[in-house]
Every structure is written in C-alpha cells, then in structure tokens.
Amino acid sequence: MSEIVIPELAESITEGTIAEWLVKEGDSVDEDTPILELETDKVNLEINAEAKGVITEILKPAGTDVVVGDVIGKIGDQETAADSKKAVHEEAQEVEGQTMKNEKQQVAEEPLQQKEKSTEDCHEPKEDEGETSTISEKTHSYIRATPAARKKARELGIDLTDIKSRLQLAPLTKANLEKLHELSQEKETEKAPVEEKQEAASSQHEERVRMSRRRMTIAKRLVDVQRESAMLTTFNEIDLTEVMKLRKERKETFIEQHDVKLGFMSFFTRAVVAALKKFPRLNAEIEGNELILKKYYDIGIAVSAEEGLVVPVLRNADRLDFAGIEKEIKRLSQKSQQNTLAFEDLQGGTFTITNGGVFGSLLSTPILNAPQVGILGMHSIQKRPVAMPDDTIEIRPMMYVALSYDHRIVDGKEAVQFLVMIKQLLEDPYRLLLES
C-alpha cells in the first residue's frame, strides 16, 4: 500500500486545488500514469502515480485545497484491492440479509399487534362516536401500517415515523396514505407561489461560481501592487504609418522565409528593449533598501487565457531578431490556449507588454506585474486626422500607448522619455535595426 502525496511543485508554489480526478476508486494504474489535475495560481498540471496498483481510496475530492505533502489517496496492489472489495461485498450482503430478516419479522407481528390494539380500543371511552380512532402518538418508533402502505410510502418518499394524527386514521392503509400525500401536496402547492416569489427576488439574477485559484491569485496580486507601490501612468500616441507600410511590403517574403507572420508585437518588443537599455531603472526591482538593476531583458507578454490573464516570458529578447520574437510569441500563445504552459515559461520577467487593443480597448491604465516596475499598454489602431509638419491634415493609423511605472524607482521625466523613445523608434522602424 502506497500513499498519493502532493509533490514538490516549484520554488514559489506550495499549494493548489484538485481540479479533477482522472481516475476513480478501483481503477488500475501504472507508474507515471496521470491520476489527477492540480490547479495552481500559475498553471494546471497533472500529478502522476508513483507506483503501480489499484486506486483503493480517494481522500480528497475534486475542489479541495491542498498543500505540498498532503496525502490525498492510496494505491494498493491487486491482491489487497481484491480482498478489500470482497470484504465490502460480504459486509453489504450481511447488512442486506439482516434487513430482510427484520422486515419479515415486522410483517409477521403486524396482525397480532392490530388485534391487541382493537381489544384495547374496545375498553377505552370515546369522546365522539362519529370520529374514528386516532393514530397513536405515543413515543415509539413503530407505526402500524399495512405492507401495501409501507411500499407506497417508499414510492412517495414518505417517512412513516413523521406521520401524526392529521387524518385520524388507524391503521394506516395504502388508501389512507395516498390521501395523506394528496393533502400534503395541496398544502405545499398553496405555499409554493409565496416561496417561489421570495426565491425569485433573491436569486433570479444571481449565480454563485467558485473563483479559480488563478483568479484569486490575480486578484490578490493586483490589490497588493496598488497598495505596495507608487504606481503612476503616462500616455502618448504613435503614428504607425511606417510600421504598417513595412509590414505590407515584407509580409509575403517574411512568411516564406520564416513560416510565421510579421506582427506588431515584434516591433514593440524591439523598441522596448532598446528603450530599456537607455533607461535601465525601468528594468529593475526593489528588494529591501536596494535596487536590483537587471542586465538581461526577459520580456513578459500578457496573454488572455480561459482561466485569466497569464504572462509567459520571452527570454533574452535582446538576442532575438524579428522572426525569433514572432516564433517565440506564437509558441507561448499556443501553449497558453492549450493550458500547457510550464512553470519556467512564467517565472521571472523584467518588463511586461500587454495588448488590450486586440479586444478593442482604445485607452487603459495597465497595472504593474510585481516585482517589475514598468508595463507598456498597447491599444486599438484607429485612423484619425493628424496635423502634419507642413500644416496639412492627413488621416493616419494612430495608437494610444500607456506606460505604468513605480514612482519609487522611476522619475516622471524618465518615464516620459522612455515612452517618447518608443514612439520615435516605431514611427521610424528602420532605426530598430540600429538601436536594439
């Protein structure tokens, strides 16, 4: 017999929620067979069996919160499982046999008890000759009823021990029981409109859904960031005419050469890396009374998944060309949609880019992804009239961008200049080859 234990997950993850058991009690499993799905605040992962055998017991059902080291089930060998199953079967047969014996004895005693009761009733004074005898209300567990009445009670789901003298009938017969049930249903029907009205008022437009662990973690971290950082946001707008022109010119050739589309994200990633090199405080974090200035550029790309926002990390983005960035973003996006992101895909990150524009957002204030001190928000591209240097008016594809930053580290001047540099690089995208 071996125990199913929640294993060590990752350095920063110590707990999770059992999302689903992939096996049930009695199932045979091999070593390394997936037996359950565990939901953590970052990813969902499968827990495998550590031994071959049969699932003999599941101690923690789906939906239970667990921590590393918790025993959540047991695996036994085939012989132990067979013996256990045999013992349970024999016990069930024994209980069933005793129940049948008691029922037969009860049925045999009914005529005698009815006869004794009739004799007693003959010597008792009657208050009203027009009334029938009432059901005994003495404290005892046995209710006098015919076998047919007992069968009908089981069919209607009636507990005979709860029946008092509402119909003043004795003994309880099938016809009496049906009448009692009919009157009870009429009474419930009268109550129903009032109860339904009260229920409708409180729950007609409400639905309670348990928050996923990931959603709870996201909520907690977002609140923590706003409480623990001095977050501020600055805005600007970018004319994407040249970027769109370059994408159109290189679209077909880029796909043929690299088997991936040339998107906007690679331009923004290259621009961010170039700006981070010039303004290193936006690529840092606070630890105690010290600043940690990072000399590497791991860019988090915020991706919307079914369970909530996740931020897979683009490692060493400064060493990737346009094609490398687009391929890596595509790979991480696919893993996110398939719910197969690994811990290493999400850990770390020095700066984040989020694109609300894909959902139609025109302007927003992104929240920092702690412990990072900077996040760039992209938005929808809209054609707007723009005043040109020669005072003419042209229709240009414009995008609002937002930079949220931690004012404890980054001054307003740095933040504004950082965003202006990104604007300049994207409005002259050929500079990206030289700057980043």
Side-chain angles (χ1 to χ4, degrees):
M1 179 77 69
S2 61
E3 296 178 334
I4 303 173
V5 180
I6 299 296
E8 293 287 342
L9 302 172
E11 183 180 351
S12 60
I13 299 178
T14 60
E15 60 184 5
T17 301
I18 298 177
E20 178 186 6
W21 278 95
L22 306 178
V23 295
K24 58 182 181 295
E25 291 183 359
D27 285 357
S28 298
V29 295
D30 293 323
E31 188 175 354
D32 293 330
T33 297
I35 56 176
L36 68 92
E37 182 181 348
L38 186 70
E39 178 187 357
T40 72
D41 57 359
K42 292 186 176 180
V43 295
N44 286 19
L45 67 158
E46 291 181 343
I47 303 298
N48 298 333
E50 296 184 356
K52 180 178 180 180
V54 176
I55 303 296
T56 57
E57 191 173 6
I58 291 177
L59 302 176
K60 305 284 187 180
T64 305
D65 293 334
V66 294
V67 298
V68 172
D70 277 357
V71 178
I72 58 175
K74 295 182 180 180
I75 298 178
D77 54 36
Q78 297 287 351
E79 293 181 359
T80 303
D83 292 342
S84 176
K85 187 175 181 180
K86 181 179 179 182
V88 171
H89 181 67
E90 290 176 351
E91 183 179 351
Q93 286 185 324
E94 183 179 346
V95 171
E96 184 179 354
Q98 185 63 37
T99 302
M100 293 179 64
K101 181 179 179 182
N102 292 342
E103 288 184 353
K104 289 181 179 179
Q105 183 178 354
Q106 191 178 47
V107 172
E109 291 176 354
E110 286 178 359
L112 179 59
Q113 290 175 342
Q114 291 176 4
K115 182 176 181 181
E116 290 175 353
K117 181 62 180 175
S118 298
T119 303
E120 291 174 4
D121 291 344
C122 290
H123 295 85
E124 290 179 359
K126 298 181 180 179
E127 295 181 2
D128 189 344
E129 293 182 357
E131 293 181 355
T132 59
S133 300
T134 61
I135 299 176
S136 173
E137 296 187 18
K138 294 179 181 179
T139 306
H140 56 70
S141 60
Y142 180 71
I143 297 295
R144 294 186 300 117
T146 64
R150 293 184 182 280
K151 180 180 178 182
K152 193 64 178 179
R154 288 193 294 270
E155 293 175 354
L156 297 175
I158 296 175
D159 185 355
L160 296 181
T161 60
D162 290 339
I163 296 178
K164 300 299 182 183
S165 56
R166 280 182 286 176
L167 293 182
Q168 297 182 330
L169 298 169
L172 190 60
T173 65
K174 178 181 177 181
N176 296 338
L177 189 66
E178 289 176 339
K179 182 63 177 177
L180 177 62
H181 181 64
E182 182 181 339
L183 293 178
S184 298
Q185 292 295 102
E186 290 177 358
K187 188 174 181 180
E188 291 297 323
T189 302
E190 292 174 0
K191 291 182 180 180
V194 178
E195 293 177 351
E196 288 176 1
K197 187 175 181 180
Q198 291 174 343
E199 272 189 43
S202 61
S203 62
Q204 184 178 4
H205 303 294
E206 296 179 353
E207 179 183 3
R208 290 182 179 270
V209 180
R210 178 184 172 90
M211 291 176 67
S212 68
R213 179 167 293 276
R214 185 182 299 172
R215 176 56 61 188
M216 288 189 287
T217 301
I218 291 172
K220 181 178 182 301
R221 288 182 176 176
L222 292 179
V223 172
D224 289 346
V225 164
Q226 297 193 74
R227 184 176 62 247
E228 297 172 2
S229 68
M231 194 177 76
L232 196 63
T233 305
T234 184
F235 302 91
N236 212 317
E237 62 179 353
I238 300 175
D239 182 350
L240 292 174
T241 300
E242 295 301 320
V243 169
M244 296 182 75
K245 179 180 177 182
L246 180 59
R247 288 181 68 236
K248 185 176 180 180
E249 291 175 353
R250 303 294 299 174
K251 178 180 178 181
E252 299 299 331
T253 304
F254 195 86
I255 293 177
E256 291 175 3
Q257 291 179 349
H258 306 291
D259 195 30
V260 67
K261 291 182 179 180
L262 178 60
F264 288 101
M265 193 59 74
S266 54
F267 287 92
F268 276 84
T269 302
R270 292 290 294 257
V272 163
V273 169
L276 288 174
K277 288 180 177 179
K278 188 169 183 178
F279 300 95
R281 286 178 180 266
L282 278 151
N283 200 50
E285 68 174 85
I286 295 178
E287 188 174 284
N289 295 323
E290 298 179 333
L291 299 182
I292 302 176
L293 300 173
K294 301 173 183 179
K295 304 298 183 180
Y296 56 94
Y297 304 91
D298 291 348
I299 307 300
I301 307 295
V303 178
S304 177
E306 185 176 352
E307 290 295 325
L309 192 72
V310 292
V311 188
V313 179
L314 198 65
R315 306 289 178 188
N316 299 313
D318 57 318
R319 302 178 188 176
L320 299 175
D321 58 10
F322 283 84
I325 293 173
E326 293 293 350
K327 288 179 179 178
E328 190 65 6
I329 290 175
K330 181 179 179 181
R331 182 185 71 84
L332 293 171
S333 297
Q334 288 177 341
K335 291 184 71 174
S336 172
Q337 298 303 319
Q338 297 166 3
N339 202 23
T340 57
L341 285 170
F343 291 119
E344 54 268 21
D345 294 325
L346 302 169
Q347 291 179 327
T350 62
F351 188 92
T352 295
I353 302 174
T354 180
N355 185 6
V358 296
F359 303 110
S361 173
L362 181 63
L363 191 63
S364 66
T365 302
I367 298 178
L368 293 173
N369 183 22
Q372 299 170 20
V373 298
I375 180 172
L376 179 72
M378 300 166 56
H379 300 92
S380 296
I381 300 173
Q382 287 197 333
K383 290 184 177 181
R384 294 199 293 272
V386 178
M388 305 306 293
D390 60 356
D391 293 335
T392 59
I393 302 295
E394 292 186 13
I395 303 299
R396 294 285 182 126
M398 306 297 292
M399 175 191 286
Y400 289 120
V401 288
L403 173 70
S404 292
Y405 59 97
D406 191 339
H407 211 343
R408 295 177 300 167
I409 297 181
V410 183
D411 292 333
K413 177 183 176 181
E414 289 178 279
V416 171
Q417 290 178 334
F418 177 90
L419 202 53
V420 167
M421 182 174 179
I422 290 177
K423 170 184 171 69
Q424 292 171 345
L425 290 172
L426 291 169
E427 290 184 343
D428 184 9
Y430 294 98
R431 286 179 57 188
L432 289 174
L433 299 175
L434 301 175
E435 299 283 352
S436 59

